[in-house]
Amino acid sequence: MLVKLAVLFSGNGSNLENILNRLHQKTIGSNTYEVVLCLCNKKDAFGIQRAKKFGLESVIVDHKDYKSREEFDEILVQKIKESGADLAILAGFMRILSPIFTKNIKAINLHPSLLPLFKGANAIKESFESDMKVAGVSVHWVNEELDGGKIITQKAFEKKNLSFEDFEAKIHALEHEILPLSVIEIFESKVNLPK
Ligand code: GAR
C-alpha cells in the first residue's frame, strides 16, 4: 500500500527531517511511504529549510492569522484532507488542537517525556529536574485531551548524572528512533487503531 503522510511542525524540524530520511519514498515491509504535506505554523521555522532539501515546499498556516483556535484548526483539517494523507504526524507541532482537528484527523503526536508524566510544552526541563531516576519519550494517538491519547510507543533511559545538554540529546536521539518505528508499526497493523 502507498501510505501518505502529513507532517506538522513548528520549529527546528529535526524529527521532520528524520521522517524524510527514514520513510519518505521508501518501501518498508509491505508499504511505501510518501510525505505528501509538510505543514508549519511559523514562517521562519528551520524545518522549512530541511524540507526543501528533499524538494518539498512547506505549507505555512500561521495561527496568528486566525481569530480563534477553531478557525485555525479548520484550515489545518482542510489542508490535511486535500493532501490525501492517511495519517498526520505531529512532530514538534506546538499548538493545542480543538475537537475540530481531533475529531476529523487521524493523528499521532511525539512527546519528550514518559506520558502521562510531564504533559505540556516544558516536558524536557520538567523531566530533567524531577526526582525520577528514569526519563523517556512517547508517541501517542491524538485525542481531545492534550498529550492524553492512547500510547503507541515509549522508550525510557536512566538519567544517571547526565548534564542537561546530554539529557536533551538523549531525548532527541530516542525520538528519532521511535517516531518512524511507530509509523511503520501502525501501517504494518502491529498496533490497534484507537476507538
Ligand atoms: C521534540 O522534542 C518533540 O518531542 C517536542 O518538540 C520537539 C521538536 O523538535 N514536542 C513537544 O514538546 C509537544 N508537546 P524538532 O523540531 O527538532 O523535531
Side-chain angles (χ1 to χ4, degrees):
M1 160 183 176
L2 174 65
V3 175
K4 296 181 183 170
L5 304 170
V7 183
L8 279 63
F9 63 101
S10 294
N12 181 32
S14 73
N15 283 284
L16 163 70
E17 182 165 357
N18 182 54
I19 292 272
L20 290 169
N21 271 322
R22 304 271 291 270
L23 298 182
H24 184 51
Q25 297 180 337
K26 299 261 190 307
T27 300
I28 300 160
S30 46
N31 296 310
T32 301
Y33 297 87
E34 176 91 27
V35 174
V36 292
L37 175 66
C38 301
L39 191 152
C40 181
N41 64 314
K42 292 197 171 165
K43 67 176 187 330
D44 301 325
F46 186 59
I48 296 166
Q49 308 307 319
R50 297 185 190 260
K52 279 204 177 110
K53 291 193 291 185
F54 293 78
L56 297 169
E57 277 306 319
S58 300
V59 171
I60 314 291
V61 184
D62 190 335
H63 56 278
K64 292 197 234 72
D65 292 342
Y66 299 89
K67 283 201 292 287
S68 68
R69 208 176 277 291
E70 287 73 18
E71 272 182 39
F72 171 68
D73 284 1
E74 266 169 31
I75 305 297
L76 298 183
V77 170
Q78 184 192 320
K79 298 282 181 202
I80 294 166
K81 296 256 189 214
E82 274 171 13
S83 77
D86 301 295
L87 179 74
I89 302 170
L90 309 185
F93 189 64
M94 305 305 272
R95 300 299 303 163
I96 294 174
L97 296 163
S98 74
I100 303 266
F101 185 98
T102 59
K103 286 197 190 314
N104 287 296
I105 299 294
K106 186 165 93 173
I108 60 173
N109 180 45
L110 172 68
H111 188 74
S113 76
L114 289 175
L115 288 171
L117 298 169
F118 312 118
K119 293 178 177 179
N122 298 308
I124 297 182
K125 184 166 180 288
E126 287 172 12
S127 117
F128 178 75
E129 288 174 353
S130 85
D131 280 344
M132 301 243 335
K133 298 287 183 199
V134 293
V137 297
S138 307
V139 175
H140 64 92
W141 290 107
V142 172
N143 68 5
E144 63 289 345
E145 188 195 335
L146 177 68
D147 299 328
K150 192 168 164 37
I151 292 166
I152 299 166
T153 315
Q154 282 186 316
K155 200 139 191 185
F157 62 97
E158 285 189 58
K159 287 159 78 176
K160 300 207 169 127
N161 291 319
L162 290 180
S163 66
F164 181 72
E165 289 68 32
D166 289 346
F167 178 84
E168 200 172 21
K170 180 79 185 167
I171 292 276
H172 293 312
L174 290 183
E175 289 182 333
H176 294 169
E177 258 183 56
I178 72 165
L179 187 54
L181 280 182
S182 302
V183 174
I184 293 165
E185 286 182 7
I186 287 167
F187 289 98
E188 295 286 328
S189 303
K190 289 185 184 142
V191 291
N192 295 324
L193 297 178
K195 290 187 192 107

